[in-house]
Amino acid sequence: MAYYNTNSHSPPPLQHPVPTHPAYIPEPPSTPMSPQGYQRYTSTPPAQGYPQSLPSQGHPSHLAPSYGAPHAYQPMGPGAPSHQPHPSAVGPGGPVDFSSWGLDNATAAFGMQLGQSAVAAGSDYVQKNLGGFIPISMLKHHFNVSNSYVIKKLRLLLFPWRHKPWSRRVVRLENGQSEWSPPREDINSPDLYIPLMALVTYILLAALHSGLHSRFHPEILGITASKAFAVLLLDFLFVKSGCYLLNIPGGLSSQVLDVLAYDGYKFVGVIVTLIAGLLGFGRTLYLLVFLYTFFSTAFFLLRSLRSMVLPDASATAAAVNPSQRSRRITFLFLVAVSQFVYMGVLVRV
């Protein structure tokens, strides 16, 4: 039995392994997306005309980069193919090769054709169903506004007392027909842009008012929107019923959009009243602002709806007799006075 000599002062020497470097880097196996295998690239290609030898085993060396051809890439490894551009990286007018994404060209073309057919079918459905009741061209007509028109219209809604004239402009088309001028060209033409923006602003102001009084919850937005739409629907039904009973002429689609526009203008006065309440001007000044906006809205509707309820004799085939005229004037005053109720309901947030 042998014993290790504990009195020895020098430990046995350690044997460190010598690092070895492979002569080449083996290529990874090929995949369906890259049949040629992965390609390895260096930051810059080697210099032309100076072949580089592989580093000898045990003596690593670093290859000096060549700056002769910037932004170029050279594949490394034996048998590596030269770099080719991606099939899809062609000009915008060239055909797209869907096989680079693993798709069959016939299948991809069928999918694109199916998507185009679905979009066309959706457009036809909207045009046949919505376009039959409200033509898209008329809807675009009521949103044809400009910045100057919006500013002038808001000023007219708040200060309508000295505005003249109130009649709408008529444009003669090339085919001999006539139509109303778009809002951006006629300040007396009703639009749907201001009522829509005023409705959204009213809902946000009502939520802000509730938040400042520590009464905000997410349902406030839905409740306020439902109340606003209910007021608009009641006002719309009242005006349309009066036009039907009094046999007031006018195209159904154009009259619907015009009535919706006139009904939505009341939100401008409601917004001004809510802002006066948020600024804390006091109860008395708040009531004065509400009364002023009510009178301005009522006066605006009286003068604007007059051209629709009491058209000129030259614009109608049948003349309006005195009894019909009296009933239509009464109807106009009822529409104007009813704004007090509608605006009173809307300002209670």
Side-chain angles (χ1 to χ4, degrees):
M1 184 174 183
Y3 293 93
Y4 183 75
N5 187 11
T6 58
N7 295 328
S8 176
H9 295 285
S10 60
L14 298 177
Q15 299 294 331
H16 297 280
V18 179
T20 61
H21 298 275
Y24 67 94
I25 300 176
E27 292 296 325
S30 62
T31 61
M33 296 298 294
S34 58
Q36 307 266 344
Y38 291 98
Q39 298 181 4
R40 300 181 180 274
Y41 301 95
T42 58
S43 59
T44 53
Q48 297 291 336
Y50 296 94
Q52 296 180 357
S53 59
L54 296 174
S56 59
Q57 186 175 9
H59 297 81
S61 62
H62 300 280
L63 299 178
S66 173
Y67 301 96
H71 306 291
Y73 297 93
Q74 179 72 22
M76 295 179 63
S82 59
H83 177 60
Q84 299 292 336
H86 197 273
S88 63
V90 294
V96 180
D97 187 8
F98 293 97
S99 61
S100 59
W101 287 283
L103 298 175
D104 186 12
N105 288 333
T107 304
F110 175 75
M112 292 184 62
Q113 184 178 4
L114 185 63
Q116 294 175 358
S117 302
V119 172
S123 301
D124 293 340
Y125 178 81
V126 172
Q127 183 66 29
K128 290 180 180 179
N129 292 271
L130 181 61
F133 181 63
I134 300 178
I136 303 299
S137 60
M138 286 192 173
L139 199 60
K140 293 180 179 179
H141 173 87
H142 283 73
F143 280 95
N144 187 8
V145 299
S146 61
N147 294 334
S148 61
Y149 166 81
V150 173
I151 296 174
K152 293 178 181 178
K153 193 75 170 188
L154 292 176
R155 184 173 57 189
L156 176 61
L157 290 171
L158 296 177
F159 308 100
W161 318 111
R162 303 181 62 181
H163 175 71
K164 288 182 181 180
W166 290 90
S167 58
R168 298 174 60 179
R169 298 177 185 174
V170 179
V171 178
R172 298 290 179 181
L173 301 179
E174 296 179 356
N175 55 7
Q177 297 180 355
S178 59
E179 65 177 11
W180 299 115
S181 297
R184 68 186 305 147
E185 299 177 2
D186 183 13
I187 192 175
N188 295 322
S189 179
D191 70 284
L192 290 174
Y193 175 79
I194 292 179
L196 181 61
M197 295 297 104
L199 174 62
V200 176
T201 306
Y202 164 72
I203 296 174
L204 297 178
L205 275 179
L208 177 62
H209 185 275
S210 301
L212 293 177
H213 291 80
S214 302
R215 293 184 288 105
F216 176 79
H217 51 89
E219 290 80 6
I220 288 290
L221 299 174
I223 294 173
T224 306
S226 301
K227 181 172 64 174
F229 282 116
V231 170
L232 280 176
L233 181 61
L234 288 176
D235 196 3
F236 174 79
L237 292 177
F238 178 71
V239 176
K240 286 296 296 179
S241 300
C243 292
Y244 175 77
L245 295 176
L246 296 175
N247 195 20
I248 297 175
L252 177 63
S253 57
S254 62
Q255 204 176 69
V256 166
L257 296 179
D258 291 347
V259 172
L260 286 176
Y262 287 126
D263 291 343
Y265 285 139
K266 66 172 63 68
F267 287 100
V268 176
V270 172
I271 290 172
V272 174
T273 306
L274 290 179
I275 292 176
L278 290 175
L279 295 178
F281 289 154
R283 183 71 176 178
T284 303
L285 188 57
Y286 173 80
L287 293 176
L288 290 177
V289 171
F290 171 75
L291 290 176
Y292 176 83
T293 54
F294 158 68
F295 282 117
S296 63
T297 304
F299 184 80
F300 171 81
L301 291 179
L302 276 175
R303 300 306 302 267
S304 299
L305 292 177
R306 185 183 181 279
S307 61
M308 184 176 66
V309 177
L310 295 172
D312 297 334
S314 59
T316 57
V320 179
N321 56 48
S323 60
Q324 289 179 341
R325 183 179 181 86
S326 176
R327 287 194 295 268
R328 291 185 182 186
I329 292 176
T330 303
F331 170 68
L332 269 179
F333 276 99
L334 289 178
V335 171
V337 173
S338 64
Q339 304 304 312
F340 182 84
V341 179
Y342 299 141
M343 297 177 66
V345 172
L346 292 174
V347 296
R348 297 177 63 88
V349 294

